[in-house]
Amino acid sequence: MTGISATERIKAREYIRPPFLLTWEQNQRTQQEDWYLGEYIEEREIAAAFKIPLGNFPSKVGIGANQASKHRARWNGALMISGIAIIAFLLIQLWVGYLRPETVLLEHSYSLDLRPRPADTAKRKSVMVTGDHKTTDSTATAIGNILQDSAKAIDSFARDTAGANVKPDSAGNFEFKSFKTPTFKIEDGPVPLEIELSSQVDNNWLSTTIELVSEKDNQTWSLTKDIEYYHGVEDGESWSEGGLHETVLLSEIPPGKYHVNMYPYSGSSLVNSLDVKVTESVTLWRNILITFLILCLYPLYCWYRARRFEVNRWMNSDFSPYQKDDDRMKLIKSNIAYIVIASLIVVYFTFDAFNGIAFWQSNDVERNAGYHGTVAHSGYGVRFYHK
């Protein structure tokens, strides 16, 4: 290599792969080519090698052309760890689904009967007990049967004529008789339990208090769910709001025998049925999504910092490989804390999956240790508990 005067022109190219820098130079007068290889070394390494106080070094300004990015290395390590954790998470989910498959415990359609009015009941009783006519036993029985059939026909006619003979309560709602589902059994728990409700409401609503009752100790899980569906045409365009189906998710339901109490009421007397479907061990898609997001947060943070680092260095490529194969163990050591966190997340999800814990169950679920006769319901009817 020969010296270069101040008047000579040099053509140069630089190739970087941090922490290395390869420079090519060509003398425009002599056409001589020279290559230079450089490596970026942190000042603390130079200070330790030459026994120089770190404070004697000048302050850094900006980012060196071949300065290695710590965030890039962390992003590579975090991406690898999260990928392994997500694969383990999916395998656990498949395993739990195999051991505890989704099973329908109850599926039935229930007819909704309007609450009997006290005034009508008293009136019917008066027909049976008043009067001076003497009748034989057979005649009284026949008259009683006729009156019962007439009462049923009147109730049916009242429903078919949009509640002409049925008055709403003080709030304008029609209360239906409460009912109890047959007993169903959860064999292996705890499990998540989904209750699906369906009703053919039309421009109206149906609300019901749902009460899951354990027949072992009368422990209850209760909440209220609304089904509402409205539709119409406005300015020549059709619109709809709501739907005919709603679901309730209950978390950590232990094994045992259960039934569901329903206390329905509606804004219309024309609502005549409620379909109930109870399913155990449903797939908790929200748990899966939340776990994925949590496992991706730290890698996304590292990727963002690495990208900002490259932008500050004025490079076009944000994802060039910068690490060596023999630096894998160094990356793992630098991410040891995140390895522990990712492992805890997987372990916690495994515990939740086997115990039927939902990260979010349906809102306003009230869990009671047992029934003491003090639980209030907005619907009408007798409460059904196991004795």
Side-chain angles (χ1 to χ4, degrees):
M1 176 179 175
T2 59
I4 300 175
S5 66
T7 59
E8 290 181 330
R9 292 180 175 272
I10 298 296
K11 184 178 181 180
R13 293 177 183 173
E14 291 183 343
Y15 304 89
I16 64 170
R17 184 175 181 180
F20 300 105
L21 171 68
L22 184 61
T23 304
W24 170 80
E25 291 183 356
Q26 184 182 53
N27 190 307
Q28 296 296 290
R29 181 176 61 84
T30 63
Q31 299 299 309
Q32 179 179 337
E33 296 183 359
D34 297 302
W35 291 87
Y36 305 93
L37 177 63
E39 180 181 359
Y40 186 91
I41 301 177
E42 295 287 346
E43 64 270 22
R44 63 176 177 273
E45 297 181 31
I46 299 175
F50 292 95
K51 305 271 193 277
I52 301 174
L54 195 59
N56 293 351
F57 285 81
S59 301
K60 287 184 178 181
V61 178
I63 297 174
N66 59 326
Q67 182 177 348
S69 172
K70 296 184 296 183
H71 304 293
R72 177 71 184 188
R74 289 174 182 171
W75 178 75
N76 289 333
L79 187 63
M80 179 180 62
I81 297 168
S82 288
I84 295 173
I86 288 175
I87 292 174
F89 164 78
L90 291 176
L91 291 176
I92 292 171
Q93 178 65 35
L94 293 174
W95 186 28
V96 172
Y98 173 76
L99 295 178
R100 293 181 179 177
E102 189 171 305
T103 306
V104 177
L105 301 176
L106 172 70
E107 187 171 13
H108 195 270
S109 180
Y110 296 91
S111 177
L112 298 180
D113 297 323
L114 288 166
R115 170 183 177 176
R117 293 178 298 167
D120 291 345
T121 304
K123 190 179 296 183
R124 291 170 190 167
K125 288 182 179 179
S126 67
V127 173
M128 297 294 296
V129 299
T130 59
D132 298 331
H133 299 285
K134 295 181 179 180
T135 60
T136 62
D137 293 340
S138 59
T139 304
T141 301
I143 293 174
N145 292 335
I146 293 172
L147 290 175
Q148 289 178 0
D149 293 339
S150 300
K152 292 180 180 178
I154 291 173
D155 289 340
S156 176
F157 177 76
R159 186 184 297 277
D160 295 337
T161 55
N165 295 324
V166 179
K167 295 181 180 179
D169 60 14
S170 58
N173 301 327
F174 292 87
E175 297 184 353
F176 299 98
K177 293 181 181 178
S178 58
F179 62 88
K180 166 190 171 183
T181 69
T183 298
F184 54 86
K185 186 177 181 180
I186 297 177
E187 298 288 350
D188 188 16
V191 296
L193 198 70
E194 182 182 81
I195 303 175
E196 182 180 349
L197 306 176
S198 303
S199 184
Q200 297 300 316
V201 293
D202 187 12
N203 280 327
N204 217 302
W205 58 270
L206 172 69
S207 183
T208 180
T209 298
I210 306 166
E211 191 173 58
L212 177 68
V213 182
S214 170
E215 297 186 352
K216 177 183 178 181
D217 53 10
N218 282 332
Q219 184 178 4
T220 64
W221 293 258
S222 60
L223 74 159
T224 299
K225 197 67 177 179
D226 300 328
I227 304 174
E228 52 184 344
Y229 177 64
Y230 297 91
H231 61 92
V233 178
E234 185 175 354
D235 296 332
E237 295 185 0
S238 60
W239 61 271
S240 63
E241 180 180 355
L244 305 179
H245 308 274
E246 290 291 341
T247 58
V248 173
L249 180 62
L250 302 177
S251 177
E252 295 183 85
I253 306 301
K257 292 183 178 180
Y258 295 86
H259 66 264
V260 178
N261 297 336
M262 292 287 184
Y263 307 90
Y265 57 99
S266 175
S268 171
S269 62
L270 295 179
V271 181
N272 53 21
S273 66
L274 177 61
D275 300 336
V276 181
K277 181 180 178 181
V278 180
T279 308
E280 69 167 343
S281 300
V282 293
T283 302
L284 302 174
W285 294 108
R286 189 175 293 180
N287 285 21
I288 295 174
L289 178 60
I290 292 173
T291 304
F292 276 4
L293 291 177
I294 292 175
L295 289 174
C296 290
L297 285 178
Y298 183 68
L300 286 174
Y301 167 77
C302 293
W303 171 83
Y304 173 76
R305 293 296 301 270
R307 186 177 185 277
R308 288 296 300 256
F309 189 92
E310 298 300 330
V311 169
N312 291 336
R313 197 192 348 229
W314 302 328
M315 291 180 61
N316 295 327
S317 176
D318 298 326
F319 303 99
S320 299
Y322 294 109
Q323 69 178 37
K324 298 179 181 179
D325 292 338
D326 55 1
D327 288 339
R328 297 286 183 179
M329 291 305 298
K330 187 181 295 184
L331 289 177
I332 293 176
K333 290 180 180 179
S334 65
N335 287 279
I336 189 66
Y338 182 60
I339 292 175
V340 174
I341 294 173
S343 301
L344 291 176
I345 291 173
V346 173
V347 170
Y348 179 69
F349 171 80
T350 303
F351 176 80
D352 291 348
F354 277 100
N355 289 276
I357 300 175
F359 291 167
W360 271 277
Q361 65 179 357
S362 298
N363 295 331
D364 303 325
V365 176
E366 179 183 345
R367 183 170 179 172
N368 301 312
Y371 173 64
H372 304 290
T374 59
V375 181
H377 298 281
S378 52
Y380 163 81
V382 180
R383 294 168 179 80
F384 305 99
Y385 293 90
H386 188 68
K387 302 298 183 182

